[in-house]
Amino acid sequence: NAGVTQTPKFQVLKTGQSMTLQCAQDMNHEYMSWYRQDPGMGLRLIHYSVGAGITDQGEVPNGYNVSRSTTEDFPLRLLSAAPSQTSVYFCASSHGDRSWVSGYTFGSGTRLTVV
Amino acid sequence: QQQVKQSPQSLIVQKGGISIINCAYENTAFDYFPWYQQFPGKGPALLIAIRPDVSEKKEGRFTISFNKSAKQFSLHIMDSQPGDSATYFCAASIPGRRALTFGSGTRLQVQP
């Protein structure tokens, strides 16, 4: 049982490049979400999904796309990287309506630097 | 607009002391209030959570106090230990949103 797996752990991009941050969970969780963590700002929600084929925007969605073709995977795409997207990105998953009991399980993060 | 405001930003406590972190929220639709603990280089992990139908929840040395009328909730860490040194985040969620709104975090340092 690996939990939530994020890849890569570190990435350096040049401005304008695109890339996909991968997130996979093996707990059969319905809910998945992406957050970015910046100093002094906590974790801010980028996009979330309540199940395969269903996604919605969070607080800071601009510049990011997501899709959820399977229950297990929830990739985050940066369309044209900008220095403002330098951050640590976390993926999280939760077991549907039991999320208030078991909470959200977070991956170990992807540290992204855009130069 | 920050819907969940957390204070203090940092906190230094002596071993054996009580650590107190406070959060205030705006959205009265929030119905779930968890606290997460994060160690350097790791993702946040659920510490303890409360729903607004109770005023207090205790798990070991960790207690959440909840004041619905004031729209405030706090985390108390009793008998603080150096191993408790971490960043703590309060959070909240609304029914149907299925994602968390976080506070800005508190960096706790427990000195031996």
Side-chain angles (χ1 to χ4, degrees), chain A residues 10-30:
Chain A
F10 302 94
Q11 183 71 48
V12 178
L13 285 180
K14 293 182 179 179
T15 298
Q17 286 185 318
S18 62
M19 78 160 294
T20 299
L21 279 62
Q22 301 292 344
C23 175
Q25 54 91 8
D26 61 357
M27 299 171 283
N28 201 31
H29 282 174
E30 294 94 331

Side-chain angles (χ1 to χ4, degrees), chain B residues 6-9 11 19-23 35 63 65 73-77 86-90 105-108:
Chain B
Q6 183 172 347
S7 63
Q9 188 173 10
L11 181 63
S19 303
I20 302 174
I21 304 171
N22 300 299
C23 283
W35 284 89
T63 300
S65 297
F73 59 111
S74 60
L75 175 69
H76 295 235
I77 305 175
T87 300
Y88 293 81
F89 293 95
C90 61
T106 296
R107 185 173 179 182
L108 172 65

Side-chain angles (χ1 to χ4, degrees), chain A residues 20-95:
Chain A
T20 299
L21 279 62
Q22 301 292 344
C23 175
Q25 54 91 8
D26 61 357
M27 299 171 283
N28 201 31
H29 282 174
E30 294 94 331
Y31 303 159
M32 297 187 74
S33 48
W34 276 101
Y35 298 84
R36 59 177 289 173
Q37 183 174 22
D38 303 292
M41 302 189 73
L43 291 93
R44 292 180 292 168
L45 180 66
I46 305 172
H47 287 285
Y48 65 101
S49 169
V50 299
I54 306 170
T55 63
D56 206 347
Q57 295 181 352
E59 304 165 58
V60 288
N62 292 339
Y64 308 95
N65 274 356
V66 293
S67 60
R68 185 104 179 264
S69 57
T70 68
T71 299
E72 295 78 19
D73 299 298
F74 191 43
L76 178 71
R77 298 182 186 84
L78 279 69
L79 308 175
S80 177
S84 60
Q85 294 179 304
T86 294
S87 187
V88 180
Y89 291 84
F90 287 99
C91 179
S93 71
S94 176
H95 193 294

Side-chain angles (χ1 to χ4, degrees), chain B residues 61-79:
Chain B
R61 296 186 293 110
F62 301 93
T63 300
I64 299 179
S65 297
F66 186 83
N67 186 329
K68 188 174 181 178
S69 60
K71 295 188 287 185
Q72 295 176 345
F73 59 111
S74 60
L75 175 69
H76 295 235
I77 305 175
M78 310 300 288
D79 186 27

Side-chain angles (χ1 to χ4, degrees), chain A residues 31-33 35 37-38 40-45 48-50 57-59 90 96-97 99-109 111, chain B residues 1-3 6 9 31-32 34 36 38 41-46 49-51 57 87 89 93 96-105:
Chain A
Y31 303 159
M32 297 187 74
S33 48
Y35 298 84
Q37 183 174 22
D38 303 292
M41 302 189 73
L43 291 93
R44 292 180 292 168
L45 180 66
Y48 65 101
S49 169
V50 299
Q57 295 181 352
E59 304 165 58
F90 287 99
D97 288 330
S99 62
W100 70 273
V101 175
S102 54
Y104 291 74
T105 301
F106 282 78
S108 57
R111 184 174 294 274
Chain B
Q1 179 187 3
Q2 190 173 16
Q3 293 198 51
Q6 183 172 347
Q9 188 173 10
D31 75 336
Y32 170 67
Y36 279 79
Q38 185 181 31
K42 304 292 185 181
L46 179 66
I50 198 168
R51 301 195 77 168
K57 183 175 181 179
T87 300
F89 293 95
S93 71
R97 188 167 194 207
R98 314 308 187 198
L100 297 168
T101 299
F102 282 89
S104 54

